[in-house]
């Protein structure tokens, strides 16, 4: 049971509404004057105890559950409603539990320790006689005082317990030093010792500038490993960090471009030369999370890769891995195909710089800083890059090899949304392979892996994560007289809509345009059944109003915990196999029309049932309202069906056009 369900199960909506509306019994239900619109003649406002819902059959034509009622009545945000109702129901909200405060306290202490450690290492670097070699190393890289200070470069003594005793004396326990990654424990002997010994220390900060760990370079010739990082801790998660982002974010926003390099030294060198929009991946695969984090500042990413083919392939693989971790339901083989999918989903422009043979940004900038902006300007779009990598060693007389390259690159080209750009790459590939474009268009692609489930089926899992049987929270579904549409299917369609809206907010705009074209109102929070979904949808509109680019992180940060849990669930849903915005939005428009239709039909059957009840009870006022509804609701069904028909035709036509354009 979710928190909201728990709260609803403990409270009675009749009690809550009675506090502000004078209700009288009407059959099995309660009627009163609607608190949301001016009315004194006919009580058009009903509360249904069986389903714990309310509905105004008058001017508002609105309804919902306990949460939507108190939110509307009190003008509360979801968070406030949740807090108030939880208190009333005696339900403890997770974030109020003291354990989280303890965790928070421990994390703050750890952050303090890491900052102190950074100062300690930095002082040693600047003044300790033992740090002479470290200072010479930095001097050889031509890093100046400003750069050393800005990045707080440090030095760890060649000792097993110097750091440990220093911080023990300051009152930190071994346990705290272990948790912060400054100590290492030998699992067999149980002995503890300094993790970083005789190394150049590079503090790593999170996006807010807080030190969360260290990268430590060996100062010994052939020392292994060359870089030793902090272990994964509560604060240090390599997949969530980009080195230098805290100081680069402003420059990235100004340059509207982020350059991603491989090493810490590359970032420092670039910063010193005045190129401050540069960040480094953390020696691991570039993750979706990192790209999303960058997307808060820009939509153009430039990857500066090593010149060798292995390096290039490794980076392509990085992006592929990131994609696979998010698209668990889609099986993809390594063929760089993932890149453009990635690009499409992130709505980002990813470009690639190939470094001259044997060079990295560090030594290019050191030798000829003026070459750097030129290289950046020459960055190739991903597709062009893949074409150049794939055809680099190609034997132009080997027809089979050419087909293989075409099969590798064509899926990328077919995924490009812009038709002119798409055509451009058809031509480029034909030219590069020295074959006729018509011949190229006849090459058959290996069949993509078959999706074993149809969309409609994937949208209705029988179990929610955690093993709880799927249960709709749409309490407005009457317990009897359900004649059409499965509430669970409807619930999942809405979840599916939301997950797409969250991943690509521009879909909301497109869907609303399309709804308007077929005479329907735009998607509103009231379209959703669950209080959580309504709140998330409302928040999306809020964020879109502030900025057209909304990332999942921004949304996440703006939500309270119950909504974050719902968001987490939404993001586990299978994504559309479609990659084109137009196709996805067509599908979603149909989905919206379908669930509105299901809702009106349910309401209709509910009203029929209520009408019979009112007849038996001889409730004249209710009878009048329900009779009126029986006239109006079928009209709504008619309009929705009309919209649905026109919509299907449009999307069919669009699908056909798209096919003709591509093949
Ligand atoms: Zn009303």
């Amino acid at each position: 049971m979710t928190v909201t369900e728990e709260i609803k199960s403990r409270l009675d909506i009749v009690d809550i509404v009675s506090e502000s509306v004078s209700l009288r019994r009407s059959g099995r239900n309660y009627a009163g004057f609607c608190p949301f619109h001016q009315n004194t003649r006919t009580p058009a406002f009903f509360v249904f105890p069986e389903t714990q819902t309310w509905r105004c059959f008058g001017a508002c034509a609105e309804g919902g559950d306990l949460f939507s009622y108190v939110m509307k009545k009190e003008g509360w945000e979801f968070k406030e409603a949740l807090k108030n109702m939880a208190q009333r129901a005696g339900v403890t909200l997770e974030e109020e539990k003291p354990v989280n405060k303890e965790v928070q306290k421990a994390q703050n202490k750890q952050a303090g320790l890491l900052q102190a450690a950074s100062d300690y290492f930095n002082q040693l670097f600047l003044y300790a006689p033992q740090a002479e070699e470290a200072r010479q190393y930095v001097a050889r890289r031509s890093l100046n005082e400003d750069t050393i200070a800005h990045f707080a470069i440090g030095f760890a003594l060649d000792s097993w317990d110097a750091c440990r005793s220093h911080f023990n004396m300051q009152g930190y326990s071994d346990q705290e030093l272990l948790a912060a990654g400054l100590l290492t424990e030998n699992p067999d002997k149980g002995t503890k010792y300094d993790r970083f010994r005789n190394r150049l220390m590079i503090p790593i900060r999170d996006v807010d500038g807080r030190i969360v760990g260290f990268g430590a370079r060996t100062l010994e010739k052939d020392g292994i490993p060359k870089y030793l990082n902090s272990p994964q801790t509560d604060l240090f998660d390599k997949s969530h960090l980009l080195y230098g982002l805290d100081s680069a974010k402003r420059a990235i926003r100004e340059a509207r471009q982020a350059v991603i390099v491989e090493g810490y030294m590359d970032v420092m060198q670039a910063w010193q030369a005045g190129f401050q929009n540069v960040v480094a991946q953390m020696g691991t695969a570039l993750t979706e999370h990192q790209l999303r984090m960058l997307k808060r500042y820009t939509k153009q990413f430039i990857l500066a890769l090593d010149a060798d083919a292995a390096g290039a392939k490794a980076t392509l693989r990085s992006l592929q891995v990131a994609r696979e971790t998010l698209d668990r339901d889609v099986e993809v083989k390594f063929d760089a195909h993932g890149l453009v999918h990635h690009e499409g989903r992130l709505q980002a422009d990813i470009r690639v710089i190939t470094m001259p043979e044997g060079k990295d940004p560090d030594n290019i900038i050191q030798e000829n800083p003026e070459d750097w902006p030129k290289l950046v300007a020459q960055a190739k779009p991903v597709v062009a890059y893949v074409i150049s990598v794939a055809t680099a060693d190609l034997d132009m007389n080997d027809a089979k090899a050419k087909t293989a390259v075409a099969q590798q690159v064509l899926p990328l080209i077919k995924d490009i949304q812009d038709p002119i750009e798409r055509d451009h790459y058809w031509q480029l590939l034909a030219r590069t392979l020295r074959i006729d474009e018509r011949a190229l268009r006849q090459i058959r692609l290996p069949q993509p892996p078959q999706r074993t489930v149809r969309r409609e089926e994937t949208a209705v899992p029988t179990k929610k994560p955690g093993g709880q049987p799927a249960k709709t929270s749409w309490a407005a579904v009457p317990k009897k007289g359900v004649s059409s549409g499965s509430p669970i299917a409807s619930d999942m369609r809405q979840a599916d809509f939301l997950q797409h809206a969250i991943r690509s907010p521009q879909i909301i705009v497109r869907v609303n345009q399309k709804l308007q074209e077929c005479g329907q109102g735009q998607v509103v929070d009231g379209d959703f059944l669950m209080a959580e979904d309504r709140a998330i949808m409302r928040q999306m509109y809020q964020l879109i109003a502030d900025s057209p680019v909304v990332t999942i992180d921004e949304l996440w940060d703006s939500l309270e915990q119950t909504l974050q849990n719902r968001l987490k669930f939404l993001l586990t849903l299978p994504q559309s196999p479609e990659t084109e915005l137009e196709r996805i939005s067509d599908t979603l428009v149909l989905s919206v029309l379908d669930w509105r239709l299901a809702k009106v039909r349910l309401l209709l059957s509910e009203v029929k049932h209520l009408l019979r009840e009112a007849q038996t009870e001889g409730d004249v006022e209710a009878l009048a309202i329900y009779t009126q509804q029986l006239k109006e609701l079928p009209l709504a069904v008619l309009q929705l069906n009309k919209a649905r028909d026109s919509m299907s035709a449009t999307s069919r036509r669009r699908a056909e056009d798209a096919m003709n354009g591509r093949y």
Side-chain angles (χ1 to χ4, degrees), residues 390-574:
T391 56
D393 313 313
L394 191 66
D395 176 3
M396 286 300 165
N397 295 316
D398 186 341
K400 275 207 174 120
K402 283 182 172 182
T403 307
V405 168
Q407 284 178 335
Q408 188 184 9
V409 180
L410 284 178
L412 285 165
I413 296 178
K414 289 187 174 181
D415 272 350
I416 297 171
Q417 295 189 19
D418 182 67
I420 296 170
E421 206 184 325
R422 196 162 58 223
D423 243 43
H424 169 81
Y425 288 110
W426 273 111
Q427 289 161 16
L428 177 65
L429 182 62
R431 246 188 353 259
T432 316
L433 292 176
R434 290 183 218 151
I435 57 173
D436 190 82
E437 210 185 309
R438 275 164 304 178
L440 189 60
R441 284 180 193 264
Q442 279 163 11
I443 288 178
R444 286 196 178 191
L445 291 181
Q447 279 300 306
Q450 282 294 314
R451 295 174 65 86
T452 49
V453 275
R454 284 188 306 121
R455 237 182 119 46
E456 202 58 27
E457 287 162 359
T458 53
V460 192
T462 49
K463 289 205 163 194
K464 280 187 184 176
Q468 290 281 329
K471 180 178 168 226
T472 171
S473 307
W474 191 17
V477 179
K479 289 200 169 95
K480 48 181 175 174
V482 179
S483 59
S484 61
S486 154
I488 294 172
S490 186
D491 191 7
M492 288 312 295
R493 274 200 299 263
Q494 297 183 355
D496 188 54
F497 177 92
L498 263 187
Q499 70 125 333
H500 281 101
I502 290 160
R503 290 182 198 277
S504 335
Q506 76 276 24
I507 277 183
I508 304 173
V509 179
R510 196 67 193 105
V511 166
N512 282 339
Q513 280 170 352
K514 284 170 191 270
L515 281 171
Q516 214 156 27
E517 281 163 22
C518 60
Q520 286 281 315
Q522 64 169 17
V523 178
V524 292
D525 55 353
D527 270 311
F528 295 84
L529 311 176
M530 288 183 70
E532 288 96 325
D533 290 352
R534 287 182 180 208
I536 290 174
M537 190 64 213
R538 210 197 315 249
Q539 191 59 26
M540 280 303 295
Y541 272 124
Q542 190 93 48
L543 291 173
I544 294 172
D546 290 347
S547 144
V549 186
V550 178
T551 64
I552 294 177
D553 291 325
E554 277 170 302
L555 177 63
W556 176 271
D557 292 344
S558 71
L559 298 176
E560 61 81 44
Q561 201 173 355
T562 306
L563 296 179
Q564 285 180 346
N565 289 340
R566 178 65 181 168
L567 178 59
K568 220 186 285 177
F569 166 74
L570 292 173
L571 293 175
T572 62
L573 296 176

Side-chain angles (χ1 to χ4, degrees), residues 34 36-37 56 58-61:
C34 176
F36 306 128
H37 79 269
C56 167
C60 318

Side-chain angles (χ1 to χ4, degrees), residues 94 116 182 197 336 346 350 397 420 452 512 551 560 621 630:
E94 227 175 302
L182 293 169
R197 301 176 306 278
L346 286 155
I350 304 177
N397 295 316
I420 296 170
T452 49
N512 282 339
T551 64
E560 61 81 44
E621 278 169 349
L630 271 187

Side-chain angles (χ1 to χ4, degrees), residues 33-39 44-45 54-62 72:
F33 293 112
C34 176
F36 306 128
H37 79 269
Q38 280 293 326
N39 61 135
F45 181 83
W54 61 276
R55 176 161 292 281
C56 167
F57 288 109
C60 318
E62 242 192 91
K72 205 170 160 65

